[in-house]
Amino acid sequence: MPIVELAENIYWVGVVDWDIRDFHGYETRRGTTYNAYLIVDDKTTLVDTVKYPFQSKLLANIQELANPEKIDYIVANHVEKDHSSSLPYIRQFARNATIVSTGRGKDGLTKYYGAEDWTFRTVKTGDELNLGNRTLQFVEAPMLHWPDSMFTYLKEDGILMPNDAFGQHYASSQRYDDEVDQGVLMDEAAKYYANILMPFASLITRKIEEVSGLAVEPKMIAPSHGVIWRSSPNKIVKSYLEWSEGKAQSKAVIVYDTMWGSTQKMAYAILDAIASKGIRVLLFHLRRSDVAEIVKEILDAKAVILGSPTLNNSMFPTISNFLTYITGLRPRGKVWTSFGSYGWGGGATRDINKRLKEARFEVLEPSLSIKYAPSLEELKKCEEFGQKIAETIG
Ligand code: FEO
């Protein structure tokens, strides 16, 4: 992809990863980008690097604009390897560069890359670095996404480089928000937030307030993944605030698995009952669905209903895996419940509810369990179960 100039002498020099479909378990159906930025000033500065298979492309991009030996600073906003793993390679050419990071960033880079001979400059919130015509201001952002993370703000140009925050796993030949399909963009931004940043919701609200207090008013937000927010940086900030507050719609999500179709029949009856009350409801067969997409839909739902047959006196393993993932993400402000079929002893709904309660989720009880296959009478019970959920969230 060609280099793009964001503002005078500030360039996107990143790469587009069109092919990736598995980002440590997150299904990236639209690929991603690893964004790096080069600031050509009295002090030439690279902000972040890219995932190591693309290191030669990053170097070639830099060489189009500057001699890498003349790079004075490399700002490492985050040590996770999608942003730092080509740093050792780039540093072979930028031997005089000082690495600018948080203290935890220095620790992480040293542990990953044995960077004992690297020159570091560690920074804290409010610290500034003058490059000549422009000034970098740093804001520590622990847990957005890792403890080492920080934001870099280009004061004179009003460009915020927040690394993972406000990103999207979205490969595109375009670099800006106003050049891509808005529905797809917000869909990918929500999916990214839900699957990566949702556990840190309260930190996000506080960080946005803190950044506003520092008189950081970005005209442009240039994250490390996806397109750059140039036309409406406030749009994504507002969405982050809403998602962080757990703002939900009149919406329910059913996630189920099934062995011989009984739990599936229950799922459809529950769905119909909820939908008949005018509530939007989505249904996902877990083994046939993209889990990252399910989590995106849970983000703004008021109810999540988990369906599982009983297998070996407990829930289906796929549902257990899903519970491990979703409880770790800690979605806020939802009602959870469960249903499923069993052959003899049962146990799936009991164990699902136990896991939900251990995660301190609000659980609507009783759950609904049906032996073997639902009869017509039992399908009525499924409808009543769905109606009760609808009344709870309606
Ligand atoms: Fe895109 Fe936390 O790395």
Side-chain angles (χ1 to χ4, degrees):
M1 289 304 305
I3 289 163
V4 173
E5 190 171 25
L6 279 62
E8 190 179 2
N9 290 327
I10 301 172
Y11 303 89
W12 176 85
V13 290
V15 298
V16 180
D17 188 347
W18 293 95
D19 298 333
I20 189 167
R21 291 293 178 272
D22 179 354
F23 198 100
H24 54 55
Y26 176 149
E27 188 176 322
T28 45
R29 63 178 168 167
R30 291 194 172 94
T32 194
T33 77
Y34 311 106
N35 297 337
Y37 302 96
L38 190 74
I39 304 161
V40 180
D41 205 324
D42 294 348
K43 299 289 185 186
T44 300
T45 302
L46 178 67
V47 179
D48 291 319
T49 66
V50 302
K51 195 173 165 184
Y52 72 92
F54 301 91
Q55 59 192 15
S56 302
K57 177 61 178 160
L58 172 62
L59 180 67
N61 286 347
I62 293 168
Q63 285 171 326
E64 279 193 44
L65 299 163
N67 180 348
E69 290 178 15
K70 303 288 184 191
I71 292 176
D72 296 283
Y73 299 112
I74 301 176
V75 176
N77 279 318
H78 181 24
V79 304
E80 193 166 7
K81 290 197 167 188
D82 48 332
H83 308 294
S84 74
S85 54
S86 58
L87 186 48
Y89 175 77
I90 293 298
R91 209 191 143 273
Q92 289 175 30
F93 300 88
R95 298 210 63 84
N96 299 316
T98 295
I99 312 299
V100 181
S101 71
T102 61
R104 286 167 172 161
K106 178 184 176 184
D107 292 346
L109 293 170
T110 303
K111 192 71 167 52
Y112 267 149
Y113 307 115
E116 285 82 7
D117 62 334
W118 297 10
T119 304
F120 280 93
R121 176 171 177 158
T122 56
V123 292
K124 303 185 299 301
T125 293
D127 285 356
E128 295 189 353
L129 182 61
N130 184 270
L131 306 183
N133 291 315
R134 40 180 58 92
T135 315
L136 304 184
Q137 184 178 6
F138 304 101
V139 180
E140 292 167 280
M143 301 320 294
L144 303 176
H145 169 225
W146 281 5
D148 61 281
S149 296
M150 70 173 183
F151 298 171
T152 297
Y153 183 57
L154 282 67
K155 288 177 78 171
E156 290 79 4
D157 302 276
I159 300 175
L160 181 67
M161 296 178 175
N163 197 265
D164 276 335
F166 309 117
Q168 332 91 48
H169 284 314
Y170 184 12
S172 167
S173 58
Q174 283 75 38
R175 295 278 61 79
Y176 294 109
D177 59 339
D178 50 290
E179 297 175 320
V180 298
D181 183 286
Q182 295 302 292
V184 171
L185 173 60
M186 291 314 294
D187 198 59
E188 290 300 336
K191 190 171 168 184
Y192 181 98
Y193 173 89
N195 285 275
I196 295 175
L197 296 173
M198 189 154 60
F200 315 115
S202 57
L203 295 175
I204 287 170
T205 308
R206 270 185 269 149
K207 188 55 58 181
I208 289 174
E209 286 167 0
E210 182 193 327
V211 167
S212 303
L214 290 168
V216 172
E217 292 174 10
K219 298 187 187 95
M220 195 182 282
I221 296 178
S224 59
H225 298 290
V227 297
I228 295 160
W229 304 91
R230 114 179 129 177
S231 72
S232 55
N234 285 338
K235 181 176 175 181
I236 188 62
V237 173
K238 186 166 172 282
S239 294
Y240 264 53
L241 285 171
E242 288 178 0
W243 294 331
S244 302
E245 287 162 10
K247 202 167 176 180
Q249 299 181 31
S250 178
K251 172 181 168 186
V253 176
I254 300 172
V255 183
Y256 78 99
D257 208 329
T258 194
M259 286 174 71
W260 294 105
S262 297
T263 301
Q264 184 180 46
K265 279 183 189 158
M266 294 175 74
Y268 276 73
I270 294 165
L271 179 145
D272 286 348
I274 297 173
S276 72
K277 298 294 181 186
I279 291 171
R280 185 172 168 232
V281 52
L282 292 96
L283 182 143
F284 295 96
H285 184 312
L286 191 48
R287 269 181 292 157
R288 297 177 188 164
S289 303
D290 166 2
V291 170
E293 182 70 17
I294 297 173
V295 173
K296 183 206 76 184
E297 293 298 344
I298 287 174
L299 176 62
D300 63 353
K302 280 189 179 169
V304 186
I305 306 137
L306 301 175
S308 173
T310 290
L311 179 71
N312 301 328
N313 303 317
S314 188
M315 70 190 88
F316 221 55
T318 50
I319 296 291
S320 179
N321 287 345
F322 181 73
L323 272 170
T324 299
Y325 187 55
I326 198 71
T327 54
L329 290 170
R330 302 201 294 271
R332 292 176 162 194
K334 300 170 200 321
V335 170
W336 299 73
T337 191
S338 61
F339 66 94
S341 66
Y342 66 97
W344 42 101
T349 55
R350 175 200 65 210
D351 289 352
I352 291 171
N353 288 5
K354 183 168 178 276
R355 294 270 299 273
L356 292 170
K357 286 176 188 171
E358 283 168 358
R360 302 188 177 187
F361 288 5
E362 183 184 345
V363 181
L364 179 66
E365 292 185 303
S367 294
L368 182 63
S369 298
I370 284 174
K371 192 167 185 178
Y372 289 127
S375 62
L376 285 177
E377 193 178 312
E378 286 167 329
L379 284 174
K380 290 264 182 238
K381 285 190 178 175
C382 293
E383 288 169 18
E384 288 164 14
F385 183 68
Q387 284 162 4
K388 188 176 151 199
I389 295 164
E391 284 160 15
T392 303
I393 65 170

